């Protein structure tokens, strides 16, 4: 277990290192969008999941929009109908939602993204009833009430790490949901929402890892096709964290 500052996303340094290497080899050619698409594919296939050809030649946005990101991206506290609507607004189906959520078969989340489920769920004074009580006890040990919000724990309690198992990117995420051991509210809702179309899809992917992998690949391609910037649109960012010309970035040196 490690502790970091309380930011919602991590790993910028990894992207910066890849960008630095790409700029050195071929300045101004490789977009940050393409770096992220390739890194996602490599992470999944190296962890024992499927491989695919990520579509490339996608350029970087000339704007960065904090409010827009919060409006369009689902939150882990959101109810399933809202999350489904946010996906549908981008032409992503319920199958895409379940398949892509399967990426939570690896990686970590900070306490503040699920601690609302552990002690006083929706003001009830009780934990989230859709969560397994022994799992809740484990999570309460990790995230004490009013404790450090940024402590990390595994999204998949069964096969999170390469050193625990050869199969990290597997369908165990779906088995976890069926045992009421989904970490985020948005994970568990896929299985625990009565009458939702997502329940049958969870069952299907749990029983057939090949089908999960095939759907995951298709859904990653679908997600990558949400209004990409190609041709002369957008730009090739010099620093993946900011649009060109913003802030005090002075560009790379040619020496
Ligand atoms: C369906 C809506 C989704 C919600 C609400 C959601 C929410 C979250 C949250 C809250 C975290 C923990 C972040 C932190 O505490 O630092 C997380 C981590 C993660 N998510 Fe999602 N996510 C969603 C969809 C996706 C999709 C579509 C993918 C990729 C296909 C994905 C891949 C990951 C990965 C790999 C991590 C671990 C990151 C790390 O260990 O640094 N998630 N997600
Ligand atoms: Ca796993």
């Amino acid at each position: 277990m490690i502790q970091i500052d309380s930011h919602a996303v991590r790993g910028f340094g990894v992207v910066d290192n890849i960008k630095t290497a790409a700029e050195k080899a071929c300045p101004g050619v490789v977009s940050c969008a393409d770096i992220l698409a390739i890194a996602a594919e490599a992470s999944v296939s190296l962890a024992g999941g499927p491989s695919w050809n990520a579509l490339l030649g996608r350029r970087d946005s000339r704007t960065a929009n904090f409010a827009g990101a919060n409006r369009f991206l689902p939150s882990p506290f959101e109810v399933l109908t809202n999350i489904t609507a946010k996906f549908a607004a981008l032409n992503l189906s319920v199958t895409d939602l379940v398949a892509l959520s399967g990426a939570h078969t690896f990686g970590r989340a900070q306490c503040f993204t699920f601690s609302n489920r552990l002690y006083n769920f929706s003001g009830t004074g009780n934990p989230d009833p859709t969560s397994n009580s022994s799992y809740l006890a484990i999570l309460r040990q990790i995230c004490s009430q009013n404790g450090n919000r940024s402590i990390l724990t595994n999204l998949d309690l069964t096969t999170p790490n390469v050193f625990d198992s050869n199969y990290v990117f597997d369908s165990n995420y779906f088995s976890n949901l069926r045992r009421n051991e989904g970490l985020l509210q948005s994970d568990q809702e896929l299985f625990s929402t009565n009458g939702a179309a997502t329940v049958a899809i969870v069952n299907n992917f749990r029983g057939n890892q090949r089908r999960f992998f095939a759907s995951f690949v298709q859904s990653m391609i679908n997600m990558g096709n949400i209004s990409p910037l190609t041709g002369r649109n957008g730009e090739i960012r010099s620093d993946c964290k900011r649009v060109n010309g913003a802030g005090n970035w002075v560009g790379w040196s040619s020496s």
Side-chain angles (χ1 to χ4, degrees), residues 117-169:
R117 308 182 67 207
L118 308 183
Y119 300 100
N120 182 13
F121 184 64
S122 304
T124 57
N126 290 312
D128 185 339
T130 65
S131 199
N132 170 323
S133 56
S134 48
Y135 186 45
L136 279 172
I138 295 169
L139 295 178
R140 281 198 218 100
Q141 298 260 311
I142 297 167
C143 304
S144 62
Q145 206 164 8
N146 308 316
N148 185 334
R149 292 159 45 83
S150 34
I151 290 173
L152 291 167
T153 196
N154 296 321
L155 282 156
D156 171 359
L157 79 162
T158 53
T159 52
N161 294 313
V162 181
F163 45 81
D164 294 334
S165 153
N166 290 326
Y167 304 101
V168 174
F169 198 97

Side-chain angles (χ1 to χ4, degrees), residues 90-119:
L90 299 170
N91 268 331
L92 294 176
S93 70
V94 176
T95 304
D96 291 322
L97 168 62
V98 180
L100 292 172
S101 295
H104 292 172
T105 186
F106 63 5
R108 331 260 179 256
Q110 301 167 68
C111 286
F112 80 87
T113 65
F114 59 87
S115 55
N116 66 316
R117 308 182 67 207
L118 308 183
Y119 300 100

Side-chain angles (χ1 to χ4, degrees), residues 123-228:
T124 57
N126 290 312
D128 185 339
T130 65
S131 199
N132 170 323
S133 56
S134 48
Y135 186 45
L136 279 172
I138 295 169
L139 295 178
R140 281 198 218 100
Q141 298 260 311
I142 297 167
C143 304
S144 62
Q145 206 164 8
N146 308 316
N148 185 334
R149 292 159 45 83
S150 34
I151 290 173
L152 291 167
T153 196
N154 296 321
L155 282 156
D156 171 359
L157 79 162
T158 53
T159 52
N161 294 313
V162 181
F163 45 81
D164 294 334
S165 153
N166 290 326
Y167 304 101
V168 174
F169 198 97
D170 54 13
S171 60
N172 281 14
Y173 168 79
F174 302 105
S175 324
N176 298 341
L177 300 185
R178 287 159 50 94
R179 285 194 310 271
N180 298 325
E181 292 175 347
L183 184 63
L184 308 176
Q185 183 188 329
S186 52
D187 292 322
Q188 193 58 50
E189 281 174 345
L190 299 174
F191 184 71
S192 298
T193 306
N194 277 337
T198 50
V199 178
I201 307 170
V202 168
N203 288 332
N204 187 328
F205 290 161
R206 207 286 309 168
N208 192 332
Q209 187 162 281
R210 246 173 4 105
R211 219 173 299 167
F212 163 46
F213 282 6
S215 292
F216 184 80
V217 166
Q218 185 57 56
S219 297
M220 285 298 284
I221 291 167
N222 295 347
M223 185 165 65
N225 283 334
I226 301 170
S227 15

